[in-house]
C-alpha cells in the first residue's frame, strides 16, 4: 500500500514517464530515445493537465453561478471527482483490487482474451469507487473486491472492442481506453445513434466539426466555436461583459491548446509503440497488443469538447425537469466531457447526436446518483473525505463522473445491497 500510495501521489505526469521508460527499455529502445519518448509522454500529460485545469478552473465559477442563478435546491450534492477518487483509493479493498486487477490483466493477455495492457493505473479509482460503495453497503472486502473487478473486466472488454474504431477516428495507433466511466457509456451512445438513424430529418443533420468548418469557414473552426460557447456560458452564468469575454477567450484557448498538448504526448507514445510492435511481432507474430491509456487523450477533439461545454447548462436543465431527481450538479459539471469521448466515433462525431446522447447519459447519472446517494455518502464518511467549499457535511453526496454512477456501477451496487 505504501508503494501504491507513493506512485499515485506522483500523479500521471511523473508516473507515466517512469512506466514508459521501463517499457522502452523492455522493447529495446536506445536509452537516449527511450528517455526522449518517456519525457515527451510526461510533458504531454503535464500540458494536458494544465489545459484541463484551465478548463475546469475557468468553467467552475461559471457552473456555480449557473447553479445559484437557476435557484436549484436539490438535496443530493455532487462534490466532484476528487471525492470519488478519494473513496476509490481509500477503502480497505484497495490492495486486493489493485493486485487482482494487475494479475487479471496479465492472465487475460496470456490466454489471448484481451489485447489491452492497461497502464492507466491512476484511473483505477473509477472501478474501485464502485467497489468502495459496495463495501460501504455490505461491509465485505470480498464483495467489494468482486464488484470492482467485474467493473474492471467489462471496461477491458469494451476497450478491446472499441480500440480499432477509436484508433481510426482519433488517429491514434496501438492504444485503447479501459476507462471504467467512459467505456460504460459506449453502448448508450450506440443505442442513441441507432434510434436517431430511424428518425427522418434528424438522421440527415451533418454537424461534425469538419462539415461545419467546410460550410462556415473560420466561423466553424474550434477557436471560434470555443469563443461562442464560452460567451454563451458566461451569459447563462450572469457574468459581466469583462468576465464573459475572458471566458470566451479561455475556452477558445482550451480548444486550440489541448489538441497541441495531445500531439506532444502522442509523439512520445509513437516511439515506444513502434518499438513494442516490432519487439512483440518477433515473439508473438499472431498477436496484437494495445496500450491502455486515459481518455484525456480523446477530449481534445473539437466535437467532444464542444459537447462537454453544452452539457453544462443541459445538465442543470435536466436536474430541474427530471421527475424524482435529487442530485444537484455542481463540482463535476465541467467534467461531464469525460462521459462521451469513447462513444463519439459511434455517433459520427456529430455535435447534435453527441449532445442528445450526452443528455441521455446525464439523465442516467442523475437517477443513479439519486438512487445510491445514501450509500455513496456512507462511503465518503468512511474515508473522511474533504468536501469542497459550499458543500455541507450533512448533505447527501453523489458525483457525476466516476464508476459508481454509471449504469454498470449502479447495477453492481444495487445487486450487492440486496445481499447486504
Amino acid at each position: 500500500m505504501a508503494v501504491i500510495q507513493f506512485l499515485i501521489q506522483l500523479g500521471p505526469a511523473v508516473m507515466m514517464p517512469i512506466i514508459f521508460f521501463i517499457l522502452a527499455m523492455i522493447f529495446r529502445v536506445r536509452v537516449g530515445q527511450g528517455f526522449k519518448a518517456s519525457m515527451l509522454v510526461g510533458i504531454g500529460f503535464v500540458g494536458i493537465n494544465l489545459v484541463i485545469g484551465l478548463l475546469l478552473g475557468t468553467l467552475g465559477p461559471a457552473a456555480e453561478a449557473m447553479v445559484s442563478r437557476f435557484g436549484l435546491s436539490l438535496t443530493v450534492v455532487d462534490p466532484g471527482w476528487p471525492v470519488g477518487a478519494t473513496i476509490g483509493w481509500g477503502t480497505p479493498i484497495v490492495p486486493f483490487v489493485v493486485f487482482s486487477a494487475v494479475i487479471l490483466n496479465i492472465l487475460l493477455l496470456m490466454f489471448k482474451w484481451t489485447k489491452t495492457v492497461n497502464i492507466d493505473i491512476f484511473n483505477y479509482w473509477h472501478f474501485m469507487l464502485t467497489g468502495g460503495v459496495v463495501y460501504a453497503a455490505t461491509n465485505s472486502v470480498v464483495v467489494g473486491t468482486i464488484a470492482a473487478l467485474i467493473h474492471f473486466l467489462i471496461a477491458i472488454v469494451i476497450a478491446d472492442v472499441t480500440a480499432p474504431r477509436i484508433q481510426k477516428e482519433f488517429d491514434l495507433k496501438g492504444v485503447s481506453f479501459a476507462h471504467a466511466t467512459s467505456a460504460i457509456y459506449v453502448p448508450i451512445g450506440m443505442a442513441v445513434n441507432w434510434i436517431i438513424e430511424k428518425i427522418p430529418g434528424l438522421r440527415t443533420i451533418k454537424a461534425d466539426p469538419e462539415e461545419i468548418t467546410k460550410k462556415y469557414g473560420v466561423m466553424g473552426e474550434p477557436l471560434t466555436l470555443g469563443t461562442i460557447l464560452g460567451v454563451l456560458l458566461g451569459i447563462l452564468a450572469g457574468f459581466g461583459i469583462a468576465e464573459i469575454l475572458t471566458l470566451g477567450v479561455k475556452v477558445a484557448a482550451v480548444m486550440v491548446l489541448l489538441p497541441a498538448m495531445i500531439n506532444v504526448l502522442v509523439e512520445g507514445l509513437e516511439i515506444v509503440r513502434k518499438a513494442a510492435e516490432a519487439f512483440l511481432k518477433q515473439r508473438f507474430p499472431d498477436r496484437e497488443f494495445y496500450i491502455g491509456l486515459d481518455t484525456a487523450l480523446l477530449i481534445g477533439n473539437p466535437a467532444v469538447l464542444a459537447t462537454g461545454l453544452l452539457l453544462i447548462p443541459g445538465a442543470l436543465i435536466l436536474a430541474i425537469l427530471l421527475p424524482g431527481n435529487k442530485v444537484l450538479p455542481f463540482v463535476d459539471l465541467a467534467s461531464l466531457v469525460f462521459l462521451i469521448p469513447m462513444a463519439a466515433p459511434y455517433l459520427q462525431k456529430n455535435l447534435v447526436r453527441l449532445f442528445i446522447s450526452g443528455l441521455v447519459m446525464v439523465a442516467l447519472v442523475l437517477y443513479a446518483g439519486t438512487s445510491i446517494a445514501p450509500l455513496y455518502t456512507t462511503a465518503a464518511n468512511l474515508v473522511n473525505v474533504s468536501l469542497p467549499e459550499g458543500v455541507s457535511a450533512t448533505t447527501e453526496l453523489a458525483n457525476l463522473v466516476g464508476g459508481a454512477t454509471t449504469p454498470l456501477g449502479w447495477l453492481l451496487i444495487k445487486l450487492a445491497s440486496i445481499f447486504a
Side-chain angles (χ1 to χ4, degrees), residues 53-353:
L54 172 63
L55 175 69
L56 301 184
T58 300
L59 294 179
E64 290 178 23
M66 278 186 239
V67 170
S68 176
R69 200 173 185 213
F70 283 26
L72 300 182
S73 57
L74 300 163
T75 58
V76 178
V77 174
D78 146 44
W81 70 265
V83 169
T86 303
I87 296 170
W89 286 108
T91 66
I93 70 169
V94 171
F96 304 100
V97 175
V98 171
F99 291 113
S100 297
V102 171
I103 292 168
L104 179 59
N105 197 175
I106 292 170
L107 290 173
L108 291 172
L109 289 164
M110 287 175 58
F111 288 104
K112 301 183 181 181
W113 292 338
T114 187
K115 300 176 182 179
T116 296
V117 184
N118 187 17
I119 64 171
D120 187 23
I121 297 171
F122 181 80
N123 281 322
Y124 272 26
W125 74 265
H126 287 267
F127 59 85
M128 289 199 298
L129 175 58
T130 299
V133 178
V134 167
Y135 171 77
T138 63
N139 199 32
S140 169
V141 170
V142 173
V143 177
T145 299
I146 291 171
L149 291 176
I150 291 172
H151 199 144
F152 171 77
L153 179 61
I154 292 174
I156 284 273
V157 171
I158 295 174
D160 277 355
V161 172
T162 58
R165 184 76 174 266
I166 289 176
Q167 289 175 22
K168 179 182 177 182
E169 295 288 337
F170 288 91
D171 194 24
L172 293 169
K173 296 178 181 177
V175 299
S176 65
F177 300 89
H179 195 277
T181 295
S182 299
I184 306 306
Y185 289 108
V186 173
I188 305 298
M190 294 173 71
V192 170
N193 190 68
W194 182 84
I195 293 169
I196 289 174
E197 285 293 336
K198 306 297 180 185
I199 302 174
L202 188 58
R203 68 187 178 199
T204 59
I205 296 174
K206 295 187 180 298
D208 60 281
E210 292 79 9
E211 188 68 28
I212 294 172
T213 302
K214 187 192 301 181
K215 191 170 183 179
Y216 298 105
V218 69
M219 294 305 295
E221 290 187 7
L223 64 91
T224 309
L225 192 59
T227 305
I228 293 169
L229 289 172
V231 168
L232 174 63
L233 292 173
I235 292 170
L236 290 173
F239 286 171
I241 294 296
E243 291 172 297
I244 289 172
L245 294 176
T246 301
L247 188 60
V249 172
K250 286 186 175 180
V251 173
V254 170
M255 297 284 281
V256 173
L257 292 174
L258 193 52
M261 293 302 98
I262 290 169
N263 287 338
V264 173
L265 187 150
V266 170
E267 183 182 348
L269 174 65
E270 191 66 6
I271 294 171
V272 177
R273 188 197 68 78
K274 286 181 178 178
E277 187 175 52
F279 180 89
L280 293 170
K281 276 191 175 178
Q282 287 181 350
R283 290 157 179 78
F284 308 100
D286 61 335
R287 297 289 305 275
E288 182 181 20
F289 295 93
Y290 306 137
I291 298 174
L293 295 176
D294 188 349
T295 48
L297 270 73
L298 305 180
I299 69 167
N301 180 271
V304 173
L305 194 49
T307 304
L309 296 173
L310 290 170
L311 285 176
I312 294 174
L316 292 172
I317 293 169
L318 280 177
I320 297 169
L321 298 179
L322 290 175
N325 170 57
K326 296 180 182 179
V327 176
L328 171 66
F330 190 50
V331 182
D332 263 348
L333 277 168
S335 301
L336 290 173
V337 65
F338 284 96
L339 301 183
I340 56 177
M342 290 182 64
Y346 301 92
L347 293 152
Q348 304 171 25
K349 290 192 284 190
N350 182 307
L351 281 166
V352 173
R353 297 185 183 212

